[in-house]
PDB file of all heavy atoms in Angstrom:
ATOM      1  N   GLU R  97     -23.395  16.849 -18.542  1.00  0.00           N
ATOM      2  CA  GLU R  97     -24.759  16.666 -19.079  1.00  0.00           C
ATOM      3  C   GLU R  97     -24.840  15.589 -20.039  1.00  0.00           C
ATOM      4  O   GLU R  97     -25.753  14.783 -20.118  1.00  0.00           O
ATOM      5  CB  GLU R  97     -25.336  18.031 -19.588  1.00  0.00           C
ATOM      6  CG  GLU R  97     -26.712  17.915 -20.238  1.00  0.00           C
ATOM      7  CD  GLU R  97     -27.777  17.490 -19.274  1.00  0.00           C
ATOM      8  OE1 GLU R  97     -27.592  17.515 -18.038  1.00  0.00           O
ATOM      9  OE2 GLU R  97     -28.928  17.217 -19.714  1.00  0.00           O
ATOM     10  N   LEU R  98     -23.847  15.573 -20.986  1.00  0.00           N
ATOM     11  CA  LEU R  98     -23.772  14.502 -21.947  1.00  0.00           C
ATOM     12  C   LEU R  98     -23.623  13.146 -21.352  1.00  0.00           C
ATOM     13  O   LEU R  98     -24.238  12.181 -21.752  1.00  0.00           O
ATOM     14  CB  LEU R  98     -22.640  14.748 -22.954  1.00  0.00           C
ATOM     15  CG  LEU R  98     -22.890  15.890 -24.028  1.00  0.00           C
ATOM     16  CD1 LEU R  98     -21.579  16.192 -24.752  1.00  0.00           C
ATOM     17  CD2 LEU R  98     -23.968  15.455 -24.964  1.00  0.00           C
ATOM     18  N   ARG R 100     -24.618  12.285 -18.375  1.00  0.00           N
ATOM     19  CA  ARG R 100     -25.900  11.943 -17.718  1.00  0.00           C
ATOM     20  C   ARG R 100     -26.883  11.454 -18.820  1.00  0.00           C
ATOM     21  O   ARG R 100     -27.532  10.462 -18.598  1.00  0.00           O
ATOM     22  CB  ARG R 100     -26.485  13.219 -17.070  1.00  0.00           C
ATOM     23  CG  ARG R 100     -27.795  12.927 -16.286  1.00  0.00           C
ATOM     24  CD  ARG R 100     -28.531  14.176 -15.925  1.00  0.00           C
ATOM     25  NE  ARG R 100     -29.045  14.978 -17.031  1.00  0.00           N
ATOM     26  CZ  ARG R 100     -30.095  14.661 -17.755  1.00  0.00           C
ATOM     27  NH1 ARG R 100     -30.840  13.604 -17.487  1.00  0.00           N
ATOM     28  NH2 ARG R 100     -30.471  15.430 -18.804  1.00  0.00           N
ATOM     29  N   ARG R 101     -26.897  12.077 -19.978  1.00  0.00           N
ATOM     30  CA  ARG R 101     -27.884  11.731 -20.970  1.00  0.00           C
ATOM     31  C   ARG R 101     -27.532  10.376 -21.571  1.00  0.00           C
ATOM     32  O   ARG R 101     -28.388   9.605 -22.022  1.00  0.00           O
ATOM     33  CB  ARG R 101     -27.916  12.725 -22.096  1.00  0.00           C
ATOM     34  CG  ARG R 101     -28.600  14.022 -21.692  1.00  0.00           C
ATOM     35  CD  ARG R 101     -28.581  14.980 -22.849  1.00  0.00           C
ATOM     36  NE  ARG R 101     -29.184  16.203 -22.448  1.00  0.00           N
ATOM     37  CZ  ARG R 101     -29.515  17.102 -23.326  1.00  0.00           C
ATOM     38  NH1 ARG R 101     -29.316  16.962 -24.610  1.00  0.00           N
ATOM     39  NH2 ARG R 101     -30.066  18.291 -22.915  1.00  0.00           N
ATOM     40  N   THR R 102     -26.238   9.990 -21.651  1.00  0.00           N
ATOM     41  CA  THR R 102     -25.871   8.695 -22.306  1.00  0.00           C
ATOM     42  C   THR R 102     -26.100   7.505 -21.421  1.00  0.00           C
ATOM     43  O   THR R 102     -25.909   6.415 -21.794  1.00  0.00           O
ATOM     44  CB  THR R 102     -24.387   8.803 -22.777  1.00  0.00           C
ATOM     45  OG1 THR R 102     -23.576   9.007 -21.694  1.00  0.00           O
ATOM     46  CG2 THR R 102     -24.224   9.757 -23.903  1.00  0.00           C
ATOM     47  N   ALA R 103     -26.534   7.793 -20.163  1.00  0.00           N
ATOM     48  CA  ALA R 103     -26.827   6.699 -19.198  1.00  0.00           C
ATOM     49  C   ALA R 103     -28.172   6.025 -19.610  1.00  0.00           C
ATOM     50  O   ALA R 103     -28.482   4.994 -19.099  1.00  0.00           O
ATOM     51  CB  ALA R 103     -26.974   7.234 -17.828  1.00  0.00           C
ATOM     52  N   GLN R 104     -28.918   6.606 -20.556  1.00  0.00           N
ATOM     53  CA  GLN R 104     -30.105   5.979 -21.045  1.00  0.00           C
ATOM     54  C   GLN R 104     -30.215   6.160 -22.558  1.00  0.00           C
ATOM     55  O   GLN R 104     -29.429   6.884 -23.183  1.00  0.00           O
ATOM     56  CB  GLN R 104     -31.321   6.588 -20.377  1.00  0.00           C
ATOM     57  CG  GLN R 104     -31.443   8.110 -20.571  1.00  0.00           C
ATOM     58  CD  GLN R 104     -32.564   8.777 -19.718  1.00  0.00           C
ATOM     59  OE1 GLN R 104     -33.565   8.132 -19.460  1.00  0.00           O
ATOM     60  NE2 GLN R 104     -32.358   9.927 -19.280  1.00  0.00           N
ATOM     61  N   SER R 105     -31.145   5.477 -23.194  1.00  0.00           N
ATOM     62  CA  SER R 105     -31.292   5.632 -24.559  1.00  0.00           C
ATOM     63  C   SER R 105     -31.750   7.055 -24.954  1.00  0.00           C
ATOM     64  O   SER R 105     -32.374   7.779 -24.202  1.00  0.00           O
ATOM     65  CB  SER R 105     -32.345   4.649 -25.173  1.00  0.00           C
ATOM     66  OG  SER R 105     -33.669   5.088 -24.985  1.00  0.00           O
ATOM     67  N   GLY R 106     -31.417   7.454 -26.185  1.00  0.00           N
ATOM     68  CA  GLY R 106     -31.842   8.760 -26.689  1.00  0.00           C
ATOM     69  C   GLY R 106     -33.364   8.951 -26.635  1.00  0.00           C
ATOM     70  O   GLY R 106     -33.904  10.031 -26.356  1.00  0.00           O
ATOM     71  N   ILE R 107     -34.104   7.948 -26.971  1.00  0.00           N
ATOM     72  CA  ILE R 107     -35.554   8.002 -27.015  1.00  0.00           C
ATOM     73  C   ILE R 107     -36.084   8.175 -25.562  1.00  0.00           C
ATOM     74  O   ILE R 107     -36.914   9.039 -25.289  1.00  0.00           O
ATOM     75  CB  ILE R 107     -36.209   6.755 -27.624  1.00  0.00           C
ATOM     76  CG1 ILE R 107     -35.788   6.723 -29.165  1.00  0.00           C
ATOM     77  CG2 ILE R 107     -37.694   6.696 -27.442  1.00  0.00           C
ATOM     78  CD1 ILE R 107     -36.132   5.479 -29.848  1.00  0.00           C
ATOM     79  N   ALA R 108     -35.534   7.428 -24.605  1.00  0.00           N
ATOM     80  CA  ALA R 108     -35.948   7.560 -23.172  1.00  0.00           C
ATOM     81  C   ALA R 108     -35.549   8.928 -22.606  1.00  0.00           C
ATOM     82  O   ALA R 108     -36.304   9.590 -21.920  1.00  0.00           O
ATOM     83  CB  ALA R 108     -35.333   6.429 -22.361  1.00  0.00           C
ATOM     84  N   GLU R 109     -34.382   9.419 -23.050  1.00  0.00           N
ATOM     85  CA  GLU R 109     -33.909  10.678 -22.562  1.00  0.00           C
ATOM     86  C   GLU R 109     -34.794  11.839 -23.020  1.00  0.00           C
ATOM     87  O   GLU R 109     -35.242  12.687 -22.241  1.00  0.00           O
ATOM     88  CB  GLU R 109     -32.470  10.956 -22.924  1.00  0.00           C
ATOM     89  CG  GLU R 109     -31.825  12.192 -22.299  1.00  0.00           C
ATOM     90  CD  GLU R 109     -32.265  13.485 -23.009  1.00  0.00           C
ATOM     91  OE1 GLU R 109     -32.388  13.470 -24.230  1.00  0.00           O
ATOM     92  OE2 GLU R 109     -32.349  14.512 -22.268  1.00  0.00           O
ATOM     93  N   LYS R 110     -35.119  11.735 -24.330  1.00  0.00           N
ATOM     94  CA  LYS R 110     -35.991  12.814 -24.886  1.00  0.00           C
ATOM     95  C   LYS R 110     -37.411  12.767 -24.270  1.00  0.00           C
ATOM     96  O   LYS R 110     -37.987  13.840 -24.044  1.00  0.00           O
ATOM     97  CB  LYS R 110     -36.045  12.629 -26.416  1.00  0.00           C
ATOM     98  CG  LYS R 110     -36.676  13.808 -27.117  1.00  0.00           C
ATOM     99  CD  LYS R 110     -36.429  13.796 -28.574  1.00  0.00           C
ATOM    100  CE  LYS R 110     -36.956  15.132 -29.164  1.00  0.00           C
ATOM    101  NZ  LYS R 110     -36.530  15.340 -30.580  1.00  0.00           N
ATOM    102  N   ALA R 111     -37.917  11.559 -24.021  1.00  0.00           N
ATOM    103  CA  ALA R 111     -39.251  11.458 -23.415  1.00  0.00           C
ATOM    104  C   ALA R 111     -39.283  11.998 -21.978  1.00  0.00           C
ATOM    105  O   ALA R 111     -40.342  12.414 -21.532  1.00  0.00           O
ATOM    106  CB  ALA R 111     -39.727   9.988 -23.439  1.00  0.00           C
ATOM    107  N   SER R 112     -38.101  12.042 -21.294  1.00  0.00           N
ATOM    108  CA  SER R 112     -38.123  12.512 -19.887  1.00  0.00           C
ATOM    109  C   SER R 112     -38.044  14.018 -19.852  1.00  0.00           C
ATOM    110  O   SER R 112     -38.269  14.522 -18.733  1.00  0.00           O
ATOM    111  CB  SER R 112     -36.910  11.852 -19.201  1.00  0.00           C
ATOM    112  OG  SER R 112     -35.633  12.505 -19.649  1.00  0.00           O
ATOM    113  N   ARG R 113     -37.790  14.690 -20.946  1.00  0.00           N
ATOM    114  CA  ARG R 113     -37.733  16.156 -20.926  1.00  0.00           C
ATOM    115  C   ARG R 113     -39.173  16.643 -20.807  1.00  0.00           C
ATOM    116  O   ARG R 113     -40.142  16.165 -21.267  1.00  0.00           O
ATOM    117  CB  ARG R 113     -37.111  16.693 -22.216  1.00  0.00           C
ATOM    118  CG  ARG R 113     -35.697  16.294 -22.405  1.00  0.00           C
ATOM    119  CD  ARG R 113     -35.181  17.013 -23.677  1.00  0.00           C
ATOM    120  NE  ARG R 113     -34.001  16.369 -24.136  1.00  0.00           N
ATOM    121  CZ  ARG R 113     -33.386  16.630 -25.282  1.00  0.00           C
ATOM    122  NH1 ARG R 113     -33.922  17.594 -26.056  1.00  0.00           N
ATOM    123  NH2 ARG R 113     -32.348  16.065 -25.646  1.00  0.00           N
ATOM    124  N   ARG R 114     -39.206  17.878 -20.167  1.00  0.00           N
ATOM    125  CA  ARG R 114     -40.511  18.505 -20.061  1.00  0.00           C
ATOM    126  C   ARG R 114     -40.963  19.092 -21.411  1.00  0.00           C
ATOM    127  O   ARG R 114     -40.147  19.532 -22.152  1.00  0.00           O
ATOM    128  CB  ARG R 114     -40.429  19.685 -19.058  1.00  0.00           C
ATOM    129  CG  ARG R 114     -40.126  19.188 -17.704  1.00  0.00           C
ATOM    130  CD  ARG R 114     -40.072  20.463 -16.687  1.00  0.00           C
ATOM    131  NE  ARG R 114     -39.543  19.928 -15.471  1.00  0.00           N
ATOM    132  CZ  ARG R 114     -38.850  20.598 -14.688  1.00  0.00           C
ATOM    133  NH1 ARG R 114     -38.531  21.806 -14.967  1.00  0.00           N
ATOM    134  NH2 ARG R 114     -38.429  20.085 -13.502  1.00  0.00           N
TER     135      ARG R 114
END
Side-chain angles (χ1 to χ4, degrees):
E97 177 63 12
L98 285 170
R100 182 192 68 76
R101 289 182 183 190
T102 58
Q104 57 187 329
S105 78
I107 293 171
E109 188 280 326
K110 191 166 187 169
S112 73
R113 295 184 199 173
R114 295 183 189 145

